[in-house]
Amino acid sequence: MAQSQSVPVPLERTRQQIILELCQHYSVDNLSDEGLEQRLDRAHAAASVEELRALVADLPVAQQDTAYVTTTAPLPATGGYNPEHQLIIGVMSGTERRGAWSPALATHVVAVMGGVELDMREARFAPGVTEITVFAVMGGVELIVPPGVHIDMNGFAFMGGFGQRYQSDVPPPPGAPILRIGGFALMGGVDISILYPGERPRDARRRIKVEREKRLLERRTR
């Protein structure tokens, strides 16, 4: 009676280890986007332990970089005093809020031929829903939000746009604050970026790619 063929367990364990090492190298700039994709394809297709180990043989010793392999976002800070209403205006000029501040329960943002930047990565959110209503005419509004916040975006743009960047596939934890963003943009734009404190857009792209590869690996080993 013929026995069913199966892939040896040591090969699969090595494959998992090498894929994680490649992700770590990518997160610390030892690999480019193209280099990571090519080596991941070869790792998934490798039929021997030797082939797998050769994929990292020419790379420096990988070190864990937790800034880019986090798969669960911390719950943003809450508490303190959050006013009920707030008006932030940028008319033919620029206005910004950053650092530790307390967004109002309902904030109206007006940008007319100017710009407004709200960096909420260190903000103290009120429990429940925080609403931001934007009115942008030939101006721009940039919102920087930390992971771990539910984002409900429902805006309308004419000759402009509402956009969201660097959104992780990892869902916010239960009980996370809710940020509801709406409004209108005319020949202007509203950009929402999901970034950790101190994280740059390039870092966010790397983080998201590493998170996705790790989850793909986890699904394949279940």
Side-chain angles (χ1 to χ4, degrees):
M1 180 177 179
Q3 296 182 347
S4 60
Q5 298 294 322
S6 62
V7 179
V9 173
L11 175 60
E12 287 307 307
R13 288 178 180 172
T14 304
R15 194 189 315 278
Q16 296 171 29
Q17 177 185 351
I18 294 301
I19 289 174
L20 290 176
E21 285 188 29
L22 290 172
C23 289
Q24 292 173 18
H25 281 293
Y26 174 77
S27 71
V28 294
D29 287 338
N30 290 336
L31 285 173
S32 64
D33 289 359
E34 182 180 359
L36 175 67
E37 292 174 3
Q38 290 177 351
R39 296 196 189 213
L40 287 176
D41 288 342
R42 291 165 59 189
H44 290 305
S48 69
V49 171
E50 290 70 23
E51 288 182 67
L52 290 167
R53 289 176 177 167
L55 296 175
V56 295
D58 61 326
L59 299 173
V61 178
Q63 296 182 352
Q64 183 77 7
D65 190 341
T66 56
Y68 303 116
V69 298
T70 303
T71 56
T72 56
L75 196 66
T78 57
Y81 171 72
N82 295 83
E84 290 190 9
H85 301 282
Q86 189 173 39
L87 176 63
I88 300 176
I89 300 175
V91 178
M92 301 181 68
S93 62
T95 302
E96 65 177 28
R97 293 296 302 270
R98 60 177 62 246
W101 62 291
S102 299
L105 301 181
T107 298
H108 291 268
V109 178
V110 179
V112 180
M113 292 185 289
V116 174
E117 177 184 326
L118 303 182
D119 189 336
M120 312 182 81
R121 288 178 287 183
E122 299 179 38
R124 295 180 292 269
F125 288 89
V129 179
T130 296
E131 294 188 351
I132 296 180
T133 303
V134 175
F135 179 74
V137 177
M138 293 186 290
V141 176
E142 182 178 6
L143 305 173
I144 306 176
V145 184
V149 175
H150 290 283
I151 296 178
D152 180 10
M153 183 171 61
N154 185 23
F156 174 73
F158 180 74
M159 299 178 67
F162 274 75
Q164 185 171 326
R165 300 180 294 171
Y166 319 124
Q167 174 63 56
S168 172
D169 293 335
V170 179
I178 300 171
L179 184 60
R180 186 169 295 156
I181 303 166
F184 174 70
L186 172 64
M187 292 185 288
V190 179
D191 285 327
I192 304 166
S193 300
I194 314 299
L195 299 172
Y196 281 100
E199 189 176 46
R200 300 166 299 176
R202 180 182 180 185
D203 301 330
R205 289 192 292 269
R206 294 180 180 278
R207 167 175 54 83
I208 293 169
K209 184 170 287 189
V210 170
E211 288 175 354
R212 289 176 179 171
E213 185 59 37
K214 289 185 67 178
R215 283 193 298 279
L216 179 61
L217 177 61
E218 290 172 355
R219 288 196 296 268
R220 289 177 174 175
T221 56
R222 286 176 182 172

